[in-house]
Amino acid sequence: MPLPLDLLMFAALIGGILLGYPVSFSIAGVATLFALLGWGLGAFDISLMGALGQRIFGLLTNDVLIAIPLFVFMGVILERSRIAEELLETMGRLFGSIRGGLGVSVVLVGALLAASTGIVGATVVAMGMIALPTMLRNGYSPKLASGIVCTSGTLGQIIPPSTLLIILSDVMSNAYQQAQFEQGKFTIETISVGQIFAAALMPGLVLVGIYIVYLLVRAWLIPSDAPAMREEVVKPSLLEIGSAILPPVVLILAVLGSILGGVATPSEAASVGAIGAVLMAGIRKGASVPLVLLGGLSLIALAILSGLLPIRLQRSDIGGFEIAMAGFYILLSVVGTISIAVSLRQIFKADILKAALTSTMTVTAMIFATILTASVFSLVFVGLGGEDRLADILQSMPGGATGALIFCMLIIFILGFFLDFVEITVILLPLIAPALILMGHDPMWLAVLIAINLQTSFLTPPFGFSLFYLRGAAPKEVTTGHIYLGVIPFIALQIVGVILIWFWPEIAVWLPAKIY
């Protein structure tokens, strides 16, 4: 009986990662080792490795993935400009007088930060340093407080725009196309990032609602776990609420609205978000408010007018009106550029820009290194017959398409205990998603179910990233045991969210059907 090299390859990868080797090196090393081993045993055609260059070129020229560093930069700038602190402080004062109100405010701030930054680590650390001590001072159970912070921080993975959804949209689009090719279709449909964003928006808000209902019910049943604020605080005025909430909301509407409305591609919308974050941070660090606002309005006007009335100066029939409009466009560009330059100067002086660029490069390099090496891994895995084996396993599952999906969701959930969402998305999903789509599952509904499952991987011990982030930022009185026990009810709530979307697919597919 021949060795099941494909299964041994997957087991070796998990073993290498658990031993503590860098993920990208583990993926590439295991793939190379098993390619050579399979070639030596006659189980792998080494000429398949010739396709590697084309795969890497396709990845590096992928328009969708270009948006990742821009969204990361936007999130880091917003996090370092202390917008999270002001939001938490304002929302805490607004809801703190009711039982469970502080927890509700943390969830709502987590949702806002998720939609404006999309970075789990930054959100968890910020709330762990600001909100967690406040909840403990006011009598919250350390376990509940830890669970609230960890879970609210992970909303950045399901509420768009998020890095997970961008990578997932690319993977699911490729899987959908592959499934259509296997069905013999000549007219191939694709899935856009905007469609995945639209599909994930309502489920993300449903999860926020589930968390809030759970907190209010628990505070009512066990008042000692989530009491009203003991500290005397002044209710925020409407102006304070507006100044804290309005800027991130405007940025969210600009970024998501431009993608969902079909006005901009994801990379263009990410550029809008990055510039908007720079302008907001510039104001907070001392830039002239009128100048920055004027610059921002100039850039918005330029985007709208140039779309409605594009000017081509190289045309021979251009008239005086077109020349005047071109001059006006140039003026808008100059004003916008000056406001950006002033904002960049202020955040550079505040030591934000260099740290933000370094963090952006680090996160982007990690993500792209994982995606690149995963491409090598999947090529070798397919060459060893792993794709056919997985398809056979899924086809033989009791319960047909439903049984196969339950099996895959369990595998993803279990792998989430040990692997990061990037590894699961780019290694496992390209192998199982085409088979699931061929079985009849809607690709966007499937993408949302998987996204919530992957979001849960941030919470599952022992290697949940949110748990590590909070452990580093939490006060000494919060133990690792408190954090691990605190997230268990929220993992159950995640499962409730998956069940709701499973039985009511309209939650995921209604909005994309309306928009697209």
Side-chain angles (χ1 to χ4, degrees):
M1 180 179 177
L3 282 172
L5 291 179
D6 48 350
L7 299 182
L8 291 174
M9 181 180 176
F10 210 89
L13 173 63
I14 295 176
I17 292 173
L18 292 180
L19 286 173
Y21 288 106
V23 171
S24 300
F25 295 145
S26 297
I27 297 171
V30 168
T32 304
L33 177 65
F34 275 82
L36 294 172
L37 181 61
W39 181 42
L41 295 174
F44 180 74
D45 182 1
I46 201 68
S47 65
L48 283 174
M49 299 301 282
L52 198 54
Q54 186 179 355
R55 283 189 166 211
I56 292 173
F57 180 77
L59 174 68
L60 296 179
T61 55
N62 189 318
D63 289 336
V64 171
L65 299 180
I66 292 172
I68 290 176
L70 292 167
F71 277 128
V72 172
F73 178 75
M74 179 183 82
V76 175
I77 287 287
L78 289 176
E79 183 261 327
R80 291 182 179 273
S81 59
R82 300 190 176 277
I83 287 174
E85 290 185 24
E86 186 175 340
L87 266 174
L88 280 167
E89 191 266 340
T90 305
M91 298 295 277
R93 287 161 56 198
L94 183 63
F95 293 105
S97 59
I98 62 173
R99 265 194 255 168
L102 268 178
V104 170
S105 68
V106 172
V107 172
L108 291 175
V109 170
L112 276 173
L113 292 177
S116 54
T117 68
I119 300 177
V120 170
T123 307
V124 171
V125 170
M127 293 198 293
M129 295 177 69
I130 306 159
L132 187 55
T134 304
M135 286 192 281
L136 295 176
R137 281 199 311 271
N138 285 277
Y140 269 63
S141 158
K143 290 184 287 189
L144 178 61
S146 302
I148 293 170
V149 170
C150 282
T151 309
S152 302
T154 64
L155 287 169
Q157 293 301 86
I158 187 65
I159 296 179
S162 84
T163 304
L164 166 61
L165 294 177
I166 293 171
I167 300 172
L168 189 60
S169 69
D170 185 60
V171 170
M172 293 303 294
S173 181
N174 292 335
Y176 188 36
Q177 291 176 60
Q178 183 181 334
Q180 291 173 90
F181 279 127
E182 292 186 22
Q183 289 173 331
K185 293 183 179 179
F186 295 99
T187 306
I188 301 298
E189 297 178 14
T190 60
I191 299 173
S192 68
V193 176
Q195 287 174 293
I196 296 294
F197 279 6
L201 185 58
M202 292 296 291
L205 296 178
V206 166
L207 280 179
V208 172
I210 291 172
Y211 299 156
I212 290 174
V213 169
Y214 168 74
L215 287 174
L216 293 176
V217 170
R218 179 163 174 172
W220 180 65
L221 293 175
I222 315 173
S224 59
D225 271 6
M229 282 188 75
R230 297 170 181 172
E231 301 170 352
E232 289 293 328
V233 292
V234 179
K235 282 276 187 180
S237 64
L238 287 176
L239 180 62
E240 288 177 305
I241 296 171
S243 64
I245 295 176
L246 198 58
V249 168
V250 168
L251 191 64
I252 292 164
L253 292 176
V255 174
L256 276 184
S258 59
I259 295 175
L260 299 181
V263 178
T265 64
S267 53
E268 291 167 348
S271 304
V272 170
I275 293 298
V278 166
L279 296 178
M280 287 168 57
I283 289 176
R284 290 177 180 274
K285 295 304 173 183
S288 169
V289 175
L291 174 62
V292 174
L293 289 178
L294 180 62
L297 292 173
S298 298
L299 293 172
I300 293 170
L302 179 62
I304 295 171
L305 289 173
S306 60
L308 295 174
L309 188 63
I311 303 295
R312 302 286 184 267
L313 291 176
Q314 67 269 32
R315 288 175 53 176
S316 58
D317 60 343
I318 193 166
F321 175 73
E322 284 82 5
I323 293 174
M325 286 302 296
F328 183 55
Y329 289 176
I330 292 170
L331 177 63
L332 292 176
S333 300
V334 169
V335 174
T337 302
I338 291 172
S339 68
I340 293 170
V342 169
S343 298
L344 285 172
R345 180 172 177 270
Q346 290 302 122
I347 62 177
F348 178 77
K349 287 167 61 179
D351 289 331
I352 291 176
L353 186 59
K354 181 180 177 182
L357 290 173
T358 302
S359 182
T360 300
M361 289 296 293
T362 303
V363 173
T364 304
M366 180 272 292
I367 290 172
F368 274 85
T370 305
I371 296 174
L372 280 169
T373 52
S375 184
V376 184
F377 184 93
S378 62
L379 184 66
V380 177
F381 189 80
V382 170
L384 290 171
E387 189 176 39
D388 294 333
R389 187 189 296 272
L390 278 176
D392 291 341
I393 291 172
L394 294 180
Q395 291 288 350
S396 63
M397 280 288 132
T402 302
L405 181 53
I406 291 172
F407 173 75
C408 290
M409 291 291 283
L410 287 173
I411 291 294
I412 293 169
F413 183 77
I414 293 167
L415 287 177
F417 282 76
F418 311 104
L419 301 181
D420 183 25
F421 76 94
V422 179
E423 291 102 71
I424 299 174
T425 306
V426 297
I427 295 173
L428 180 64
L429 295 191
L431 302 173
I432 63 173
L436 291 174
I437 294 171
L438 280 171
M439 289 179 171
H441 294 298
D442 182 277
M444 280 184 286
W445 174 74
L446 185 62
V448 171
L449 287 178
I450 291 171
I452 297 176
N453 202 342
L454 290 171
Q455 179 199 355
T456 311
S457 71
F458 277 82
L459 300 173
T460 46
F463 299 118
F465 280 78
S466 285
L467 312 180
F468 289 139
Y469 293 140
L470 185 60
R471 178 63 276 166
K476 291 181 180 178
E477 61 265 31
V478 176
T479 66
T480 303
H482 286 146
I483 296 172
Y484 280 19
L485 290 172
V487 297
I488 290 174
F490 291 94
I491 293 172
L493 294 178
Q494 296 279 113
I495 296 171
V496 170
V498 168
I499 292 171
L500 283 176
I501 294 160
W502 188 298
F503 287 105
W504 287 280
E506 294 80 12
I507 299 173
V509 300
W510 175 81
L511 187 58
K514 287 291 182 184
I515 295 176
Y516 297 95

